[in-house]
């Protein structure tokens, strides 16, 4: 269909309305790229799929899309041997979990009525599952995107050493603010943090003394 005809039909506004009901960026891009077809068979197929999805929503409610995001760029970079950061890995893990839940939801709905949602059943059956990768990401990264100590024995050892050094440093600073000779040089007998470093608030004319 020519662009001028689509413009007269305000087809772009129809796509914009459809985009408002999508769940994440990838589905929004599919919605905005939709175009009518002159193929009657394909049009009937699309209508049947739409009717099937509508019937599913009416019977079972929305699919569990929570956590799914567009991980296309991350997967491509990983496929080329690139490194993903913790947030990207967390997004991959959540998307794998979401896809698994969608698959389970549709297959459960079709257990009693195998022929009720043939297109959705076929599409969700094709969803690959990676339980090992999903579990590995969950074990290594928490829900805030922080790498857990348990991600590797070496990381756990290094973080343990860091905590030990930090404890010794804090103990040393606490002993300093209890020392009368040092306290008189401080603005206040407290330990503060500046630029991620523990510091003592020294009076200006004593800064060279410590």
């Amino acid at each position: 269909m020519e662009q001028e005809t689509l413009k007269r039909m305000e087809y772009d506004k129809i796509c914009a309305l459809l985009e408002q009901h999508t769940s994440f960026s990838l589905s929004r891009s599919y919605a905005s790229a939709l175009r009518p077809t002159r193929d009657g068979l394909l049009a009937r197929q699309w209508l049947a799929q739409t009717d099937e999805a509508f019937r599913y929503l009416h019977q079972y409610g929305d699919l569990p899309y929570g956590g799914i995001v567009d991980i296309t760029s991350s997967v491509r970079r990983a496929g080329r041997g690139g490194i993903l950061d913790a947030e990207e890995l967390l997004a991959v893990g959540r998307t794998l979990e979401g896809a698994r839940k969608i698959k389970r939801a549709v297959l459960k709905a079709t257990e009693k009525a195998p022929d009720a949602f043939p297109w959705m059943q076929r599409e969700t059956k094709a969803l690959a599952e990676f339980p090992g990768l999903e579990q590995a990401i969950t074990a290594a990264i928490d829900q805030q995107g922080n790498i857990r100590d348990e991600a590797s024995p070496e990381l756990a050892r290094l973080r343990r050493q860091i905590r030990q050094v930090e404890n010794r440093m804090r103990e040393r600073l606490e002993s300093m603010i209890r020392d009368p000779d040092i306290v008189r040089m401080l603005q206040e007998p407290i330990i503060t943090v500046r630029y991620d470093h523990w510091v003592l608030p020294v009076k200006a004319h004593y800064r060279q003394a410590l």
Side-chain angles (χ1 to χ4, degrees):
M1 191 174 289
E2 294 186 8
Q3 288 299 320
E4 187 60 34
T5 303
L6 293 176
K7 188 176 179 180
R8 287 201 202 100
M9 293 171 57
E10 295 188 329
Y11 185 77
D12 59 329
K13 293 183 179 179
I14 297 173
C15 288
L17 287 172
L18 181 60
E19 286 180 50
Q20 293 177 14
H21 296 279
T22 57
S23 299
F24 58 106
S25 59
L26 192 58
S27 53
R28 279 194 294 277
S29 65
Y30 282 141
S32 64
L34 280 174
R35 292 295 179 269
T37 179
R38 296 177 184 274
D39 186 332
L41 182 63
L42 181 58
R44 285 191 290 274
Q45 180 181 323
W46 286 352
L47 286 170
Q49 292 171 354
T50 303
D51 177 69
E52 186 177 315
F54 178 80
R55 285 188 291 104
Y56 181 93
L57 287 172
H58 182 71
Q59 269 186 266
Y60 299 100
D62 206 353
L63 289 167
Y65 290 110
I68 292 181
V69 294
D70 183 3
I71 57 173
T72 304
S73 60
S74 297
V75 171
R76 284 176 179 166
R77 189 163 70 259
R80 295 193 298 267
I83 297 174
L84 306 186
D85 62 27
E87 288 188 2
E88 289 174 307
L89 286 170
L90 183 61
V92 170
R94 286 174 173 170
T95 299
L96 291 176
E97 180 185 9
R100 176 172 52 80
K101 287 181 177 179
I102 287 173
K103 185 173 184 177
R104 294 289 182 270
V106 173
L107 293 182
K108 184 178 179 180
T110 57
E111 282 178 357
K112 294 182 179 179
D115 301 323
F117 308 103
W119 169 68
M120 292 183 66
Q121 186 178 30
R122 183 172 64 254
E123 292 296 312
T124 52
K125 273 187 175 179
L127 287 174
E129 295 186 53
F130 302 92
L133 177 58
E134 188 181 332
Q135 291 167 11
I137 291 173
T138 301
I141 303 170
D142 66 22
Q143 292 302 304
Q144 286 70 48
N146 302 311
I147 299 177
R148 301 180 191 272
D149 288 358
E150 301 81 8
S152 75
E154 180 65 9
L155 178 62
R157 184 185 67 79
L158 291 172
R159 285 187 172 174
R160 189 164 53 250
Q161 286 183 350
I162 290 171
R163 285 193 291 269
Q164 289 170 351
V165 171
E166 287 177 342
N167 288 337
R168 287 198 296 271
M169 288 173 61
R170 187 167 187 88
E171 288 171 1
R172 173 58 179 152
L173 289 171
E174 287 174 350
S175 71
M176 290 175 73
I177 63 176
R178 290 193 298 269
D179 187 328
D181 291 333
I182 294 178
V183 168
R184 65 186 178 82
M185 302 181 190
L186 305 179
Q187 296 174 22
E188 291 181 89
I190 58 172
I191 301 168
T192 61
V193 178
R194 288 184 185 175
Y195 307 108
D196 296 326
H197 290 83
W198 287 335
V199 297
L200 298 178
V202 180
K203 293 175 182 178
H205 53 284
Y206 282 122
R207 285 178 183 169
Q208 301 302 321
L210 291 177

